[in-house]
Amino acid sequence: MNFSEFSFWWVLLLFSIPFFTVRWIGQYFNLWRGSFDSVGLAAMSLFLFVNASRSSFIIFACELIFNYILVRLMLRRQGWEAKMIATSLVAIDIAILAYFKYLNFFVEDVLGLLLPGVATSWQAQGGIPGMGAIPPGLSFYTFQMVAFVVDSFTSKKKRPIGIVDYVNFVSFFPQVVAGPIERRADFFPQIEAFRFKFTLDNFEAGLRWLSLGLFMKFVLADNISPYIDLEETGNAWLVWFSAYLFTLRIYFDFAGYSFMALGLAKFVGVKLTTNFLAPYTSQSINEFWRRWHVTLSTWFRDYVFLPLMGSRKQWAPFFLFLTFTLSGFWHGAAWNFILWGAYHGLLLLVLRYAGRPFYSFVGQRLFMPQFISWILTFGSVILGCLFFMETNVHRLATKLQTLVSPGAYSFANIGSAFSSFSGNEATVLALTLGLATLVLLLEHIAVWQKRESEYDLLTSPWVSRALLALTVLLAANTPSQFIYFEF
Amino acid sequence: MRKLLNLTSWVAIAGLAWTAGYIYNARYGGELSWLRIMYEQKMALADQVQESKRVLILGGSGAHYTVDAGVMQQELGRPVLNLGLDGPIGLDVILPSVKDKIRPGDVVLLIPEYLLLLDEDGFGDRSGQFGIAIGKPGLGRIPTQQLAQDTLMVGAPTLRALTKSSLDVVEKGKLTGYYSDPITQNGDPTVLKQRTKSKWWQMKIKAPISDYAYQRIVQFRQEVEAKGATLVLGLPWLYASDDPQTIENVQKTATKLAAIAPLLHDPTSFNLKTDSSFFADTHYHLNQPARRIRSVELAQQFKQVMGDQIASSPINQPSQ
C-alpha cells in the first residue's frame, strides 16, 4: 500500500468507520465472534489492495488462490508427492515473478545483444502482454508465498491451514506491497489467533513507529529527493554528493515505509519484524547486511544461499557472491542492479579475506580503528548506491571514470558544485541534511549504548511526538514515489 | 488514565502543529495567505464600487497580470475591476468565489487561461485550500476526499516554504510572496515579475477546450444572466508556438467559446504571440507596455461587441 497517497488513508477510514461501528454494535449485543475479526482484517486488506491497483489485484488473487489450494494439497500428502507439489509451486511462483519482472529485460537487453532488431520490435508491440509495469508488491508477496511453501513443507506439524488465515498471512495490508517479508514461524501464529487489540499501549507504540516512519519519508527522503542530480557526470564532487544524497534518501524512504508498516500493524495488535536496524552505524559490510532490509537478507540466506551451497561449505564464498549477484538482479531487471549485487558480493569477499588483518593493522598503527571501519563501510555503501541509482549503464561508466580521474576533483569543480544551488535551495538542503545527521546520530548513540532497540531514542515519548510535529510542519508537499515500489 | 492522557498528547501536539501551519499557510506568511489577502482586497473593491454598469474581469493570474483595468476604465468610461485570481484555484472555485459580487447591469468579462480551459474536472492544485482559506470550505462542490486532503494539507507549510519565509525576514525584513504586492484601486498588480533564470520556450496547445470547461462556462453564463448581468468571454494572450496543431486547437476553442457568449479576440492571430518580449515572467503574464496595448485592444473589441449597450448606458466613474 502506498502510505504516501492520501487515498490509502481515505479508503482505510471509509472501511474502518462502518466496520468498527458494526463490530462495536455486535459486541454490545454479544453477537460478535472472534473469528469475525479475521474476516474483517482480510476484507480490509483486500479492499485496500483493490483500491491500490485493480489489475494487480487480479494477479494477486489468482496467485493467492492457487498457492492456498496447492499448499493445502501438499500438507495432506507425504514424501515425494509433497516434495513434488512444493517444488512445482515454488517454480510456478518464481516463473510468474520472472514473467512480469524479467521478460522485458531478457528480450530487450539479453536477446537484444544477440539480435539487435528484437528489442525494437518488442518495444513497438508494447512489451509484456497485458501489463505495462511490474504489478505493485509482486516481488514481496511472491517471496512471502515461496517462504511459506518451504516452511510448511519442512514443518514437523502438518496441520491444515484455514483460507482466511492464509489470506491474512499473505495480504496483511501494512506489509503486502513492500514488506517486511514475514515468515511462517513469526507471523502465522499471530494471524491464526488474530483479534483486533485496540489497547492504549498498542496505539502508543504504533504512533511512535508511525511518526518515525512519517518523518523519515516525508521530511527527510522527500526533501532530499529533488537534489539528486543524475545528469551530472563530469564533476566528481557532485557525482559523490548525489550518490551520498541517494544513500540517505533510499534509507529514509524504505525504512520510513517499513516503520509506518510496523506502526500500522501495532495499531491492530500485530508485531511485524523490524526491517532495518540502523544500517548506517555499521562498521563492516557484513554488519551492514545484518542491519539493512533484514527480512530480504535472511530470505536470500535461507532460501537461496543455504540451499545452493548445500553441504559444499568450501564453496561458501562463491555461493555468497552468487547470492548477492542474484539479490542485485532481484532489485531490478537491469545491468546496474546486477553490478550492484556483484559489487556487494565482492566487498563481502574482500572483508572475509582481508578484513581482520586490515583491522588489526589499523588498530596497531592508527587512532580509532572503529571510526575508520565505519568511514570505509559508509563510503563503500555510498559508492554502491551509485550503481544502484544509475540505471543508464553508459552514464554509470562515465561517472566511474570521473571518480577515478584526479582532474575531476579540481577546485573549480568545488566552486561549480557550490554555485549549482540557489541560496534558498542550499538552505533547505542544509537544514534537511542537518536533521538527517541528527537522526543518524541518535541511531549511533542507541547502538553505542546497546539499547533494546536501535531506534530507542527516536521512538522515545517526546522525541517521537516532536517528530510528528516536525512532520506536520516540514513535510514536502510533493511526495516522491517509494523507491522499493519499483522492485 | 495516564495512558489516555498520553494518547491525548499526540492529538494535542499534532493539532498545535497543524494550527501553526494553518496560520502560516492561510492567514499570514504562506503563498496561500497572500492569495487570500489579494482576493479579500479585490472583493472589498467590488463592494466599494456602487455603480451598476461595471465591467468585472475574471480569470486566473492570466487575467490579473495581463489586463490593466485602469487603462480599460479610461477607454470605456465605466468602472472596470480586475478580479483575476490564480489559475490553480480552478474554474469551479474561481467562478463561485466572485459570483456574489455580480450585480444587475454588470458586464462580466471572463478571460480563462488554457490551464482552465483544458481542465477535465474544474479543480486545480489550490482549489480546496483556497476555499478553506477564504472561509468557504467545499466551495465549487469540491469532492469530499479532495476536500479532506486539502484540509489536512492547509496546515502543512513545508520546509521549503518556511525556509523561504525565514530568509525573506532576514534579507528583506518582512514576509513576501508571489501575490503579496499591493494592488491598485482597480485591482491591478503594482509589481510585475520578470523572468530571470529559465529560458523562454513557445507553448503548444495540444487539445481544444474540454467538454467539462465548456459546460461550466455555459452554466456560468446562466448564473450571470440570472443576476441581470452579461457575460463576455476573452481569449488570453499567450506566448505560443504557431504550429498547425496549436492553431487548430485554439480555433476550435474560440469557436466553442463564441457559441456561449460574445468572444473578444483577434480573429487573425487568436491572441497567440510569437514574440516573447511582450511577456513578463510566464507565458500569460505581460510586461507593462504590453499590458497597456492589450488593455486598449480589449477595450476596442469590447466596444465593438457591446457597442449598443455601452452607447445606451450612462457613463459612471467609480466612487473611490
Side-chain angles (χ1 to χ4, degrees):
Chain A
M1 303 303 139
N2 191 346
F3 306 140
S4 67
E5 274 187 8
F6 183 76
S7 65
F8 165 78
W9 301 95
W10 180 249
V11 173
L12 186 65
L13 193 73
L14 287 188
F15 183 91
S16 297
I17 291 170
F19 174 74
F20 290 114
T21 306
V22 170
R23 185 178 181 268
W24 183 80
I25 294 168
Q27 283 179 327
Y28 186 80
F29 290 104
N30 215 12
L31 296 170
W32 191 264
R33 291 183 201 164
S35 59
F36 292 174
D37 276 5
S38 294
V39 176
L41 179 67
M44 186 185 275
S45 297
L46 298 178
F47 190 60
L48 284 162
F49 203 134
V50 170
N51 176 65
S53 168
R54 286 183 188 182
S55 58
S56 300
F57 178 75
I58 293 167
I59 298 162
F60 171 72
C62 292
E63 276 206 72
L64 188 151
I65 294 164
F66 181 69
N67 269 262
Y68 175 71
I69 292 169
L70 285 198
V71 166
R72 202 179 158 88
L73 197 64
M74 181 190 78
L75 290 171
R76 286 180 182 167
R77 303 296 165 102
Q78 299 290 326
W80 69 270
E81 283 184 318
K83 191 173 184 179
M84 195 188 70
I85 294 169
T87 310
S88 313
L89 187 50
V90 169
I92 291 167
D93 282 344
I94 298 296
I96 294 169
L97 178 65
Y99 173 78
F100 285 111
K101 201 163 174 175
Y102 301 107
L103 190 61
N104 273 339
F105 174 75
F106 179 74
V107 174
E108 291 173 14
D109 289 38
V110 181
L111 274 183
L113 281 178
L114 305 170
L115 307 164
V118 170
T120 320
S121 61
W122 176 257
Q123 280 167 353
Q125 71 167 42
I128 296 170
M131 188 61 65
I134 302 162
L138 178 69
S139 293
F140 289 94
Y141 64 69
T142 300
F143 278 18
Q144 190 153 316
M145 284 176 181
V146 165
F148 189 84
V149 174
V150 176
D151 293 347
S152 299
F153 176 71
T154 53
S155 161
K156 286 176 184 167
K157 292 179 183 173
K158 299 272 194 292
R159 283 193 301 117
I161 50 169
I163 177 77
V164 176
D165 292 338
Y166 186 72
V167 170
N168 278 330
F169 177 81
V170 177
S171 67
F172 186 51
F173 72 91
Q175 51 85 242
V176 63
V177 171
I181 303 162
E182 290 295 342
R183 307 282 276 275
R184 181 176 168 146
D186 303 323
F187 192 43
F188 201 65
Q190 296 188 69
I191 289 298
E192 278 186 305
F194 179 79
R195 300 290 178 269
F196 287 105
K197 297 185 191 84
F198 295 127
T199 64
L200 291 173
D201 284 336
N202 281 347
F203 270 114
E204 172 75 15
L207 282 167
R208 289 186 192 187
W209 283 106
L210 190 65
S211 71
L212 176 59
L214 290 169
F215 181 78
M216 281 184 161
K217 167 65 181 161
F218 295 113
V219 177
L220 300 180
D222 288 349
N223 277 321
I224 288 172
S225 172
Y227 295 93
I228 298 169
D229 183 5
L230 286 178
E231 303 293 326
E232 177 60 52
T233 55
N235 186 332
W237 303 106
L238 278 175
V239 172
W240 275 113
F241 190 58
S242 277
Y244 166 67
L245 292 181
F246 185 82
T247 308
L248 294 181
R249 186 202 164 193
I250 193 170
Y251 169 53
F252 292 127
D253 185 275
F254 195 23
Y257 183 93
S258 297
F259 296 152
M260 281 187 250
L262 206 70
L264 281 170
K266 278 198 187 290
F267 284 149
V268 296
V270 170
K271 186 177 181 299
L272 293 179
T273 310
T274 311
N275 214 9
F276 289 86
L277 302 168
Y280 293 159
T281 63
S282 306
Q283 292 175 25
S284 70
I285 286 295
N286 217 342
E287 187 188 350
F288 173 77
W289 282 105
R290 284 201 303 270
R291 294 180 178 279
W292 177 272
H293 203 345
V294 174
T295 57
L296 181 76
S297 302
T298 52
W299 192 94
F300 269 97
R301 182 196 65 199
D302 295 344
Y303 302 107
V304 180
F305 173 67
L306 293 176
L308 270 178
M309 183 175 68
S311 58
R312 295 166 292 184
K313 290 200 168 51
Q314 70 279 16
W315 285 91
F318 168 74
F319 287 112
L320 189 71
F321 178 78
L322 187 65
T323 304
F324 266 86
T325 310
L326 281 173
S327 155
F329 193 45
W330 170 80
H331 276 85
W335 295 112
N336 68 302
F337 291 117
I338 298 172
L339 287 171
W340 173 77
Y343 166 79
H344 272 279
L346 203 65
L347 282 181
L348 283 166
L349 294 185
V350 169
L351 184 75
R352 185 186 176 100
Y353 293 113
R356 280 188 186 171
F358 177 77
Y359 193 82
S360 62
F361 171 82
V362 169
Q364 284 163 10
R365 287 175 175 75
L366 295 169
F367 184 57
M368 291 201 302
Q370 289 178 334
F371 181 71
I372 289 172
S373 297
W374 174 75
I375 288 275
L376 285 173
T377 306
F378 194 46
S380 308
V381 171
I382 293 172
L383 183 60
C385 276
L386 186 66
F387 290 98
F388 198 95
M389 67 189 254
E390 185 54 85
T391 50
N392 182 326
V393 181
H394 297 295
R395 203 163 55 187
L396 174 62
T398 314
K399 285 181 181 179
L400 289 173
Q401 206 176 354
T402 299
L403 294 187
V404 294
S405 306
Y409 293 90
S410 64
F411 284 111
N413 275 350
I414 295 181
S416 154
F418 274 111
S419 63
S420 62
F421 301 110
S422 70
N424 196 37
E425 283 175 341
T427 312
V428 171
L429 182 58
L431 287 169
T432 312
L433 292 180
L435 287 169
T437 307
L438 191 62
V439 165
L440 295 179
L441 189 66
L442 289 173
E443 291 177 15
H444 271 281
I445 293 171
V447 170
W448 173 61
Q449 291 180 338
K450 295 193 169 94
R451 284 177 176 252
E452 197 177 327
S453 153
E454 287 77 359
Y455 301 97
D456 224 23
L457 293 169
L458 288 163
T459 54
S460 61
W462 291 107
V463 172
S464 51
R465 282 167 174 80
L467 292 181
L468 180 67
L470 287 175
T471 304
V472 172
L473 294 170
L474 307 180
N477 57 356
T478 47
S480 52
Q481 174 79 303
F482 283 105
I483 296 175
Y484 264 69
F485 277 16
E486 294 169 23
F487 307 136
Chain B
M1 187 62 190
R2 196 182 160 188
K3 285 180 180 175
L4 195 64
L5 278 174
N6 266 344
L7 208 59
T8 314
S9 67
W10 284 97
V11 180
I13 283 168
L16 278 173
W18 186 91
T19 306
Y22 170 81
I23 290 168
Y24 169 80
N25 271 341
R27 305 315 299 171
Y28 190 77
E31 205 53 63
L32 183 66
S33 72
W34 303 118
L35 186 57
R36 175 191 64 80
I37 291 166
M38 185 180 83
Y39 165 79
E40 288 172 354
Q41 286 173 342
K42 290 193 173 195
M43 294 305 106
L45 285 175
D47 284 337
Q48 277 175 26
V49 181
Q50 295 300 323
E51 287 80 355
S52 61
K53 303 286 182 184
R54 303 173 306 172
V55 176
L56 306 179
I57 299 166
L58 312 185
S61 67
H64 177 64
Y65 283 111
T66 301
V67 174
D68 189 328
V71 169
M72 284 186 70
Q73 184 167 297
Q74 283 176 353
E75 294 288 323
L76 294 173
R78 57 160 69 188
V80 179
L81 288 169
N82 181 348
L83 302 185
L85 294 170
D86 180 44
I89 296 175
L91 205 55
D92 276 12
V93 178
I94 289 176
L95 300 180
S97 72
V98 290
K99 203 175 83 176
D100 291 348
K101 302 300 169 190
I102 300 169
R103 295 200 291 256
D106 284 344
V107 177
V108 177
L109 171 55
L110 174 64
I111 310 175
E113 298 104 291
Y114 289 95
L115 168 77
L116 300 168
L117 291 170
L118 303 183
D119 196 20
E120 298 288 346
D121 67 358
F123 298 114
D125 295 343
R126 288 206 177 119
S127 297
Q129 293 194 0
F130 179 73
I132 296 162
I134 64 170
K136 295 174 183 173
L139 191 69
R141 294 180 184 173
I142 191 162
T144 315
Q145 183 185 346
Q146 183 66 39
L147 181 62
Q149 182 174 359
D150 288 343
T151 305
L152 196 70
M153 293 308 291
V154 84
T158 77
L159 176 62
R160 194 166 283 266
L162 288 175
T163 304
K164 184 209 166 273
S165 293
S166 306
L167 289 177
D168 268 357
V169 171
V170 173
E171 289 167 4
K172 301 172 188 169
K174 61 177 182 177
L175 293 167
T176 65
Y178 194 77
Y179 293 106
S180 64
D181 300 308
I183 56 172
T184 67
Q185 288 297 299
N186 292 92
D188 291 326
T190 52
V191 177
L192 291 172
K193 278 90 179 172
Q194 296 301 324
R195 207 172 182 88
T196 50
K197 278 185 182 174
S198 48
K199 289 179 181 172
W200 282 111
W201 49 275
Q202 293 185 326
M203 189 184 277
K204 290 183 177 178
I205 305 296
K206 294 178 179 170
I209 181 172
S210 69
D211 288 341
Y212 184 85
Y214 173 77
Q215 292 300 339
R216 185 64 188 90
I217 296 171
V218 168
Q219 186 195 332
F220 185 59
R221 180 189 167 163
Q222 291 162 358
E223 291 165 3
V224 168
E225 288 179 350
K227 285 184 167 276
T230 307
L231 178 69
V232 177
L233 300 170
L235 280 184
W237 272 26
L238 176 70
Y239 178 53
S241 161
D242 55 358
D243 67 294
Q245 188 196 28
T246 297
I247 291 172
E248 186 188 342
N249 287 325
V250 170
Q251 280 176 342
K252 281 182 186 168
T253 302
T255 307
K256 291 195 90 171
L257 287 176
I260 302 172
L263 180 68
L264 308 188
H265 69 296
D266 177 349
T268 316
S269 69
F270 291 92
N271 292 4
L272 298 177
K273 305 293 172 190
T274 50
D275 180 0
S276 65
S277 67
F278 287 125
F279 295 85
D281 60 337
T282 78
H283 289 69
Y284 290 100
H285 303 173
L286 299 174
N287 58 31
Q288 195 61 48
R291 279 179 70 215
R292 176 166 283 276
I293 297 167
R294 163 71 165 149
S295 301
V296 170
E297 181 192 89
L298 259 180
Q300 286 167 353
Q301 290 167 347
F302 189 86
K303 282 176 188 169
Q304 282 171 10
V305 169
M306 303 292 292
D308 295 342
Q309 285 189 37
I310 288 173
S312 62
S313 304
I315 296 171
N316 296 315
Q317 294 297 322
S319 57
Q320 293 160 3

